[in-house]
């Protein structure tokens, strides 16, 4: 019985899942948070028994102490690592730059590369690396595998990833489109082919990963050929707190006219924009609820949100040279039937239609929401990035 421990590490927290690959089921999941604060917190759920536990009383000095707390939770509440020993530990790493186009066993050189790439993802890669190093102390006898958010998009052609700035400057400082959410886009496109019973190599798919962070990918024959996020996850769609596409000159304008320094501008575009900036709430559920009660500001924000998605759908049909499927995934994409219907409304000339009854049907399974016989299949496919990380880690164990 093969299991993989999947770790998603942040600067002051990490999430984990123990996944059994034979049945592709989660055996345990949990969260260690408030690392480095006076009082840390651990939450652990034994998915086999359904038992949950929480500890909010112990300080957790660093990530190594966090992994020790996680091991204590497994020992006390199961399932036992003795019964389900991991064959590998899979780590989500946000930025692999141009160095990594696939999952990679973590070596000293790989650690150095992840550290060097922190310049491109200063909020993520250092935290990912802390988690890797702490996990290697806790599990020294199994391979540790880095799975990069950017890897799936390394198939983009130069015309798709190149920004039209001074070429030498761009090359020196790695200014180009990298794309993110690649693990999700890969999993969902493969699951779509499986659901449709067609070879992935024959399909032209647009994947709409709509969560608090959001991105679109054009997948041609299983290869990413276009994606909306760029050098960082800021570019592209309107998101919960991120602006998405904006004229770069707006940054210079706000610096000169509003007196915002570059740290303030970075915080504005990443943490105070998107739905939050437009409405005061970055939670799609709150915005949708306000709009349903007649709030004009919320409805206007949703119109901007939908407009941006449609913009990318149209562009990606052109880049793909045809279309077989549009797929919604992630928290918003999987659960918001009204948004799905209104976003695709009027795209009949592309062969895109939504069946209202199918669209309204709530399910945790992959499902078709277009009518029978529609030229383009529209689907909802729940993503599972942890399972994809586990698969890729196990393949290298």
């Amino acid at each position: 019985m093969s299991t993989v421990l999947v770790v998603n590490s942040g600067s002051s927290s990490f999430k984990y899942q123990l996944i059994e690959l034979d049945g592709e089921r989660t055996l345990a999941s949990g969260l260690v948070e408030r690392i480095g604060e006076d009082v840390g917190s651990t939450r652990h759920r034994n998915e086999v028994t359904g038992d949950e536990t929480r500890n909010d009383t112990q300080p957790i000095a660093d990530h190594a102490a966090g992994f020790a707390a996680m091991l204590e939770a497994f020992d006390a509440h199961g399932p036992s690592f003795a019964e389900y020993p991991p064959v590998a530990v899979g780590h989500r790493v946000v930025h692999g730059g141009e160095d990594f186009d696939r999952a990679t066993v973590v070596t000293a050189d790989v650690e150095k590369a992840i550290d060097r790439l922190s310049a491109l993802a200063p909020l993520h890669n250092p935290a990912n690396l802390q988690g890797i190093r702490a996990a290697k102390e806790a599990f020294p006898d199994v391979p540790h595998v880095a799975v990069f958010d950017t890897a799936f998009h390394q198939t983009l052609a130069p015309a798709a990833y190149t920004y039209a700035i001074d070429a030498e400057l761009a090359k020196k400082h790695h200014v180009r489109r990298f794309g993110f959410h690649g693990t999700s886009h890969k999993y969902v496109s493969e699951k779509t082919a499986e659901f449709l019973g067609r070879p992935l190599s024959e399909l032209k798919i647009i994947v709409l990963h709509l969560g608090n962070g959001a991105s679109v990918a054009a997948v041609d024959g299983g290869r990413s050929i276009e994606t909306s996020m760029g050098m960082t996850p800021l570019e592209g769609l309107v998101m919960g707190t991120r602006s998405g596409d904006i004229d770069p000159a707006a940054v210079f304008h706000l610096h000169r006219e509003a007196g915002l320094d570059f740290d303030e501008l970075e915080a504005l575009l990443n943490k105070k924009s998107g739905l939050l900036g437009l409405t005061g709430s970055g939670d799609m559920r709150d915005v949708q609820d306000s709009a349903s009660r007649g709030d004009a500001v919320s409805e206007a924000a949703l119109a901007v949100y939908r407009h941006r998605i449609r913009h990318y759908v149209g562009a990606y049909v052109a880049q793909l040279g045809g279309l077989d499927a549009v797929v919604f995934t992630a928290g918003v994409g999987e659960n918001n039937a009204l948004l799905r219907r209104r976003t695709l409304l009027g795209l009949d000339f592309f062969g895109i239609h939504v069946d209202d009854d199918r669209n309204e049907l709530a399910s945790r399974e992959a499902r078709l929401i277009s009518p029978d016989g529609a030229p383009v299949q529209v689907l909802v496919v729940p993503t599972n990035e942890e399972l994809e990380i586990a698969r890729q880690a196990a393949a290298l164990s």
Side-chain angles (χ1 to χ4, degrees), residues 108-169:
D109 286 342
V110 170
E111 287 188 34
K112 290 177 183 177
I114 292 171
D115 188 32
R116 174 172 47 78
L117 291 164
S118 293
L120 295 172
L123 299 179
H124 297 98
N125 273 34
N128 301 155
L129 189 54
Q130 288 180 52
I132 288 171
R133 288 171 172 164
K136 288 176 76 173
E137 290 183 25
F139 297 90
D141 299 322
V142 300
H144 290 253
V145 177
V147 180
F148 299 91
D149 279 8
T150 51
F152 182 60
H153 302 301
Q154 285 299 294
T155 54
L156 265 61
Y161 68 65
T162 301
Y163 292 124
I165 67 169
D166 179 270
E168 289 302 317
L169 191 66

Side-chain angles (χ1 to χ4, degrees), residues 301-360:
L302 290 174
V304 174
Y305 187 98
R306 296 190 301 267
H307 180 91
R308 191 75 58 83
I309 296 172
R310 290 163 64 89
H311 168 85
Y312 275 96
V313 169
Y316 287 3
V317 171
Q319 296 290 359
L320 286 164
L323 186 63
D324 295 298
V326 175
V327 190
F328 289 89
T329 194
V332 175
E334 293 170 25
N335 297 302
N336 195 319
L338 179 61
L339 177 76
R340 293 193 298 261
R341 179 173 63 81
R342 295 188 69 184
T343 296
L344 298 184
L345 190 65
L347 298 183
D348 309 49
F349 59 93
F350 281 144
I352 298 173
H353 307 265
V354 173
D355 181 285
D356 288 341
D357 291 336
R358 288 178 173 177
N359 185 43
E360 292 291 339

Side-chain angles (χ1 to χ4, degrees), residues 35-53:
I35 295 172
E37 298 183 18
D38 291 338
V39 180
S41 174
T42 61
R43 283 184 280 166
H44 180 83
R45 177 178 172 83
N46 183 327
E47 302 287 354
V48 178
T49 64
D51 294 335
E52 295 187 35
T53 183

Side-chain angles (χ1 to χ4, degrees), residues 68-391:
M70 181 198 74
L71 293 175
E72 290 175 8
F74 272 98
D75 287 341
H77 306 285
S80 166
F81 280 126
E83 184 179 359
Y84 300 103
V87 298
V89 180
H91 297 269
R92 177 190 180 226
V93 179
V94 167
H95 219 305
E98 296 164 279
D99 299 56
F100 301 102
D101 63 358
R102 66 198 66 195
T104 306
V105 174
V106 177
T107 63
D109 286 342
V110 170
E111 287 188 34
K112 290 177 183 177
I114 292 171
D115 188 32
R116 174 172 47 78
L117 291 164
S118 293
L120 295 172
L123 299 179
H124 297 98
N125 273 34
N128 301 155
L129 189 54
Q130 288 180 52
I132 288 171
R133 288 171 172 164
K136 288 176 76 173
E137 290 183 25
F139 297 90
D141 299 322
V142 300
H144 290 253
V145 177
V147 180
F148 299 91
D149 279 8
T150 51
F152 182 60
H153 302 301
Q154 285 299 294
T155 54
L156 265 61
Y161 68 65
T162 301
Y163 292 124
I165 67 169
D166 179 270
E168 289 302 317
L169 191 66
K171 182 177 181 180
K172 180 178 179 179
H173 296 285
H174 311 287
V175 179
R176 51 156 285 181
R177 181 180 306 281
F178 289 102
F180 298 87
H181 291 147
T183 306
S184 175
H185 287 298
K186 180 178 187 296
Y187 175 86
V188 169
S189 56
E190 291 174 351
K191 200 74 175 177
T192 298
E194 178 185 320
F195 180 90
L196 295 176
R198 296 179 59 186
L200 181 59
S201 60
E202 295 180 359
L203 293 174
K204 297 178 182 292
I205 304 171
I206 294 175
V207 180
L208 303 172
H209 178 110
L210 307 179
N212 186 52
S215 65
V216 191
V219 182
D220 192 354
R223 300 171 69 256
S224 174
I225 66 162
E226 265 287 10
T227 191
S228 57
M229 285 180 168
M231 177 181 165
T232 76
L234 180 59
E235 189 178 0
L237 301 179
V238 175
M239 305 178 220
T241 65
R242 297 181 194 138
S243 65
D245 293 339
I246 186 171
D247 183 344
V251 174
F252 313 141
H253 176 77
L254 290 171
H255 174 64
R256 287 192 299 263
E257 300 298 322
L260 300 180
D261 64 31
F262 289 113
D263 288 339
E264 290 172 320
L265 287 164
E266 186 173 39
L268 171 69
L269 296 180
N270 277 291
K271 299 179 180 179
K272 300 177 182 179
S273 296
L275 291 176
L276 178 64
L278 293 172
T279 70
S281 174
D283 191 314
M284 173 60 78
R285 293 166 297 186
D286 293 340
V287 178
Q288 191 86 67
D289 183 58
S290 295
S292 69
R293 290 185 278 106
D295 180 66
V297 170
S298 295
E299 182 51 52
L302 290 174
V304 174
Y305 187 98
R306 296 190 301 267
H307 180 91
R308 191 75 58 83
I309 296 172
R310 290 163 64 89
H311 168 85
Y312 275 96
V313 169
Y316 287 3
V317 171
Q319 296 290 359
L320 286 164
L323 186 63
D324 295 298
V326 175
V327 190
F328 289 89
T329 194
V332 175
E334 293 170 25
N335 297 302
N336 195 319
L338 179 61
L339 177 76
R340 293 193 298 261
R341 179 173 63 81
R342 295 188 69 184
T343 296
L344 298 184
L345 190 65
L347 298 183
D348 309 49
F349 59 93
F350 281 144
I352 298 173
H353 307 265
V354 173
D355 181 285
D356 288 341
D357 291 336
R358 288 178 173 177
N359 185 43
E360 292 291 339
L361 182 65
S363 172
R364 294 181 179 272
E365 302 299 321
R367 58 200 185 275
L368 191 70
I369 63 170
S370 51
D372 291 339
V376 173
Q377 308 295 295
V378 182
L379 300 92
V380 178
V381 176
T383 192
N384 193 333
E385 292 169 274
E386 291 78 13
L387 176 57
E388 181 62 31
I389 290 171
R391 288 172 174 173

